Amino acid sequence: MADRQVASPVESTSTAVKRDVPFFKPDLGEREIDEVVAVLRSGWLTTGPRVKQFERDFAATLGAPYALAVNSATAALHLAVEALGVQPGDGVLVPTMTFAATAEVLHYMGAHPVLVDCDPVTLNMDLTDAEAAIERCARRATTDPAARPTRVVGMIPVHVGGLMMDVGAIRALAERHGLWVVEDAAHAFPAAWRPEAASPWEYCGSGTGTITAFSFYANKTITTGEGGMATTASAALADRMRLMSLHGLTRDAWDRYSGGRSWDYRIVAPGYKYNLTDVAAAIGIHQLGRAEEMRVAREQRALAYLDQLAGVSAVELPPTDANRIHAWHLFPLRLRLDQLSIDRNRFIDELRDAGVGCSVHWRPLHLHPYHQEQLAVTPSEYPVATALFERLVSLPLSSTMSPADVEYVAAVVSDLTRRFRR
């Protein structure tokens, strides 16, 4: 028997046919499949012509001068901070409300993440707290020369959920303190910002940061399965990242094994193994062509959530902004726990029992044992992120969701807030 569509978000889930709604499902079509088959038949599986095409197409889509395809956003971030010359002991501003990769690439370099609290509405880095963190580091350096970090050299803002930060404010902060900016845009393709309605759109990665790192993991708007991209306006930075992405060799595999090219190469730096394969790029080429279509589909699902959950007082909904093109990678709810008789973890258990996939984004970095030990930080230093973490739940959101899926999830959330109202 077919599932009955839920009539409204206030209908009890006890009267609705249970659905299984995964947290995400990749949106893959026949073109992606055919392109992968063509790659397998071509005999060229690793970095080759599809990767080069994907890089060209991605750069053209954003209007970025240079794009480098790699095997993850983590790789893109690591290559970025290495190319920028991060040194042991350097401090770099990092939001505590982020995934592990944003900070761990600094540990690879012997540098120090300087954690920053988050904005209570957007969940993005609080730039006021960022400036205070710079001042704290400067004072500590004068009073205790042995303290680390000795200086703050850059910042890695994260556009949480695909809602871009105020890029103008980021630039102003960076200019005041002589910082470079590496954007962690794992959630933010395609996304854009403008300072006001009369201004032109500026797409994330078109020059919004010194370097911008994107993710093509399976749950992103476009996917290559695993993969990432770095964009920049600097030829020197692009050349360095490309060199270091494949063992520090003077020629990449495409140059060395293409017909008529020399076999010879030189190792000029101890690089990494971060190159993307043609198999992955084959998926990305056609995903890129559908990127705006899939972004709009995610936006439609998000707007439906906003409409159907607008009257549920026990949840706070994610913000929108007329001066942002939102990538809608996530749809994070904030529970008003003072109105509920259960905590966030029990709420998640109830969602999953009802067939609704969900997650939490994220446990802030300062609440992980490693960072507590390495950085000597405490929850009280980041009061906003500490409090928000206990309330966060990300609902399923993807371009593959049906309207009935969205209605069902909204109905489950509404029903839970009624059943467990304090």
Side-chain angles (χ1 to χ4, degrees):
M1 184 173 67
D3 288 349
R4 181 173 64 84
Q5 290 192 5
V6 181
S8 75
V10 298
E11 181 181 353
S12 171
T13 56
S14 63
T15 64
V17 175
K18 181 179 177 180
R19 304 177 72 89
D20 287 318
V21 183
F23 183 61
F24 73 93
K25 181 181 177 183
D27 192 341
L28 298 171
E30 291 302 317
R31 286 187 174 185
E32 289 91 329
I33 295 169
D34 290 345
E35 192 75 34
V36 169
V37 171
V39 169
L40 296 178
R41 288 175 173 161
S42 76
W44 193 292
L45 305 185
T46 186
T47 306
R50 263 76 173 191
V51 169
K52 300 300 182 184
Q53 180 184 343
F54 188 32
E55 291 175 340
R56 289 193 302 268
D57 292 352
F58 195 85
T61 296
L62 293 181
Y66 304 98
L68 169 67
V70 288
N71 59 20
S72 68
T74 306
L77 289 169
H78 188 194
L79 291 168
V81 297
E82 195 281 336
L84 286 162
V86 172
Q87 298 297 310
D90 284 348
V92 177
L93 300 175
V94 171
T96 190
M97 189 65 82
T98 189
F99 183 58
T102 315
E104 71 188 13
V105 298
L106 298 171
H107 289 295
Y108 299 163
M109 308 299 297
H112 292 254
V114 177
L115 300 186
V116 179
D117 210 349
C118 67
D119 179 89
V121 176
T122 65
L123 307 182
N124 286 325
M125 179 188 282
D126 182 336
L127 294 183
T128 300
D129 191 54
E131 190 129 36
I134 294 171
E135 293 168 358
R136 287 193 297 272
C137 287
R139 287 195 302 270
R140 187 165 58 243
T142 59
T143 59
D144 182 4
R148 293 290 184 271
T150 57
R151 59 178 183 148
V152 174
V153 299
M155 59 189 299
I156 309 180
V158 179
H159 304 300
V160 178
L163 180 67
M164 285 189 70
M165 294 179 64
D166 183 334
V167 172
I170 292 173
R171 287 173 177 153
L173 175 64
E175 289 171 5
R176 282 196 300 275
H177 297 280
L179 310 179
W180 47 254
V181 177
V182 171
E183 293 177 287
D184 184 334
H187 294 181
F189 179 80
W193 90 291
R194 58 187 180 186
E196 55 188 12
S199 303
W201 290 110
E202 187 175 357
Y203 276 82
C204 187
S206 62
T208 44
T210 313
I211 300 171
T212 303
F214 295 95
S215 171
F216 306 134
Y217 185 65
N219 63 349
K220 302 303 192 294
T221 301
I222 74 168
T223 185
T224 58
E226 294 274 5
M229 190 79 72
T231 63
T232 183
S234 167
L237 291 174
D239 288 346
R240 178 66 182 186
M241 288 189 291
R242 189 172 298 282
L243 174 75
M244 296 300 286
S245 72
L246 194 61
H247 300 298
L249 305 185
T250 54
R251 293 179 180 272
D252 64 22
W254 173 237
D255 289 331
R256 290 171 60 210
Y257 293 111
S258 296
R261 301 298 183 105
S262 171
W263 61 268
D264 201 9
Y265 64 91
R266 299 290 188 275
I267 299 170
V268 297
Y272 315 108
K273 185 68 168 66
Y274 283 161
N275 57 304
L276 191 70
T277 68
D278 261 25
V279 175
I283 302 171
I285 288 166
H286 294 290
Q287 288 273 290
L288 182 61
R290 300 170 52 218
E292 180 60 13
E293 167 197 328
M294 292 190 288
R295 187 203 68 80
V296 169
R298 295 174 85 108
E299 181 178 68
Q300 290 171 344
R301 277 68 174 171
L303 293 176
Y305 274 143
L306 291 172
D307 179 59
Q308 294 172 33
L309 293 171
V312 181
S313 64
V315 299
E316 294 177 44
L317 303 176
T320 59
D321 190 326
N323 292 320
R324 301 291 185 275
I325 294 176
H326 201 319
W328 286 114
H329 171 60
L330 298 175
F331 193 91
L333 291 181
R334 280 160 286 186
L335 302 178
R336 289 191 172 103
L337 295 176
D338 60 329
Q339 297 186 28
L340 297 171
S341 61
I342 58 174
D343 63 12
R344 186 272 314 281
N345 291 349
R346 172 71 185 282
F347 196 91
I348 286 176
D349 289 342
E350 294 288 338
L351 284 173
R352 289 176 173 167
D353 286 347
V356 176
C358 54
S359 190
V360 175
H361 293 83
W362 296 274
R363 175 182 292 274
L365 297 181
H366 72 272
L367 296 180
H368 287 280
Y370 178 79
H371 294 291
Q372 289 177 337
E373 295 167 5
Q374 293 293 314
L375 306 179
V377 294
T378 62
S380 62
E381 295 176 74
Y382 311 96
V384 177
T386 299
L388 282 175
F389 166 62
E390 302 292 343
R391 303 167 52 208
L392 285 171
V393 181
S394 291
L395 298 184
L397 182 61
S398 69
S399 55
T400 58
M401 289 182 71
S402 69
D405 287 337
V406 175
E407 291 177 359
Y408 178 74
V409 173
V412 171
V413 171
S414 300
D415 184 60
L416 291 177
T417 60
R418 281 194 304 273
R419 285 170 51 204
F420 298 103
R421 183 173 297 279
R422 187 182 296 275

